[in-house]
Each structure stands twice: as structure tokens, then as C-alpha cells.
């Protein structure tokens, strides 16, 4: 079962500040833009994510300007994102879409945070696993397992990208 949801968030960038904390529940970033303006004058400019070796190889990490790249550090308890170049203006907003870890049930009094399409799968899975613990339900275990696997297949095939994918060769002119 998916243990995340997709959320949109934003951070108002501060001139001269390169690194910002992300929510502790951040698993990964899906996409990101630098937003300027607002309302009818709003403009989103896509920025790229670079790997640790690529960021480490930037010789002038203190250059300032409109950020065009980010480095995501997911290793710490609080994930961080580092902008490059360092923002030179406080009118930039970093807008990102991220995978957010789903909250657990806590002490058992919280509402379970689960995508609705997985509810039948969760119920079927609980029934199957309970049947393994209750001796009187042993003869139904195989049926419940088959139901669980069917519900899993239905739910998991819904979680796929439905956007058009276009693959084209790069043509180089020599």
C-alpha cells in the first residue's frame, strides 16, 4: 500500500539564503519551480534537481541570481533543499510537489490516513491476516488471500502516471 500522498508546498526565498528546511514528512520531490509575481503576473520557471556529485562540483556555490538548480539532501532527520545560485531577491517563491509520508494511526484514536482506493484492499488484507490468527477461520484463509490479492491488484494499478509519454531521439547536426 502506498505510504505517501502528493502535496504541494511553497517556500518564500530570502535573498542571500541558499538552504531551506522541508517538512520532516518529505520522502522526495516530484517537481519544482521558481515562481515570480502573483495573480495575472505570476510566472513559473522550471528548475532542475542535481545530484550530490554535481552540486559538489559547482566551484562558485556563493554566486547569486535567480535559482536554476536545487540539491535535495534527504539524509538528515529534516530534509533540506539548497538553491543554486543563491537567491539574490526575496521576491522568488520555491513551489514544489512532494511525496509526503502518510501519518500513522498514532495511539489508535487517529483516523487512518489512507488513499480511498486502497480501503477495500486494506480491509481484505486485515481479514486475511486475522484469518491466520483465528483457528476457526482457517478454512477461509485461501479465499481471503485470493480476495486480498485481487483488491491489491485493483488498487495498485490505479497508482500510475496517466500523462502522455513521448520518447523521441535527439538529432545532432554535425
Amino acid at each position: 500500500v502506498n505510504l505517501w500522498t502528493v502535496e504541494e508546498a511553497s517556500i518564500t526565498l530570502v535573498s542571500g539564503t541558499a538552504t531551506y528546511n522541508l517538512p520532516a514528512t518529505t520522502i522526495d520531490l516530484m517537481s519544482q519551480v521558481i515562481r515570480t509575481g502573483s495573480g495575472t503576473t505570476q510566472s513559473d520557471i522550471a528548475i532542475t534537481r542535481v545530484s550530490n556529485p554535481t552540486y559538489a562540483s559547482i566551484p562558485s556555490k556563493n554566486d547569486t541570481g535567480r535559482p536554476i538548480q536545487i540539491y535535495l539532501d534527504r539524509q538528515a532527520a529534516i530534509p533540506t533543499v539548497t538553491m543554486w545560485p543563491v537567491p539574490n531577491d526575496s521576491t522568488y517563491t520555491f513551489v514544489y510537489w512532494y511525496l509526503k509520508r502518510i501519518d500513522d494511526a498514532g495511539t489508535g484514536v487517529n483516523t487512518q490516513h489512507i488513499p480511498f482506493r486502497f480501503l477495500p484492499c486494506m480491509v481484505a488484507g486485515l481479514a486475511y491476516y486475522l484469518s491466520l490468527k483465528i483457528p476457526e477461520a482457517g478454512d477461509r484463509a485461501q479465499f481471503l488471500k485470493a480476495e486480498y490479492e485481487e483488491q491489491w491488484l485493483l488498487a495498485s494499478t490505479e497508482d500510475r502516471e496517466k500523462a502522455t509519454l513521448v520518447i523521441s531521439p535527439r538529432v545532432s547536426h554535425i
Side-chain angles (χ1 to χ4, degrees):
V1 176
N2 286 349
L3 300 177
W4 63 84
T5 60
V6 177
E7 301 280 334
E8 178 183 346
S10 64
I11 299 171
T12 301
L13 302 183
V14 177
S15 181
T17 302
T19 302
Y20 300 84
N21 290 337
L22 297 174
T25 56
T26 301
I27 296 171
D28 203 355
L29 296 185
M30 295 181 62
S31 58
Q32 57 279 331
V33 298
I34 293 293
R35 179 169 290 162
T36 58
S38 63
T40 58
T41 62
Q42 174 182 307
S43 178
D44 288 350
I45 303 156
I47 57 175
T48 58
R49 177 173 158 180
V50 297
S51 66
N52 179 283
T54 301
Y55 180 74
S57 69
I58 295 173
S60 53
K61 291 180 183 62
N62 294 323
D63 283 354
T64 61
R66 181 184 54 82
I68 59 171
Q69 296 178 331
I70 60 157
Y71 164 62
L72 174 65
D73 183 0
R74 301 184 310 158
Q75 302 305 310
I78 303 292
T80 61
V81 63
T82 302
M83 307 285 153
W84 187 86
V86 177
N88 64 345
D89 195 335
S90 294
T91 62
Y92 301 127
T93 303
F94 176 63
V95 180
Y96 59 100
W97 292 262
Y98 69 107
L99 297 177
K100 177 184 177 189
R101 187 173 49 248
I102 290 179
D103 300 330
D104 63 17
T107 59
V109 297
N110 299 335
T111 302
Q112 191 67 22
H113 193 183
I114 184 170
F116 72 92
R117 63 193 168 281
F118 278 92
L119 288 174
C121 177
M122 181 185 76
V123 171
L126 288 172
Y128 166 63
Y129 284 108
L130 282 173
S131 77
L132 298 176
K133 304 289 182 192
I134 303 171
E136 298 82 25
D139 58 335
R140 297 200 31 92
Q142 287 307 313
F143 167 76
L144 292 171
K145 181 179 182 184
E147 180 65 18
Y148 173 42
E149 290 173 347
E150 180 181 347
Q151 292 299 324
W152 165 252
L153 185 62
L154 288 171
S156 64
T157 56
E158 277 298 307
D159 281 351
R160 58 184 164 72
E161 184 62 59
K162 295 178 177 110
T164 304
L165 172 66
V166 177
I167 300 174
S168 61
R170 175 179 272 177
V171 179
S172 62
H173 300 283
I174 299 177

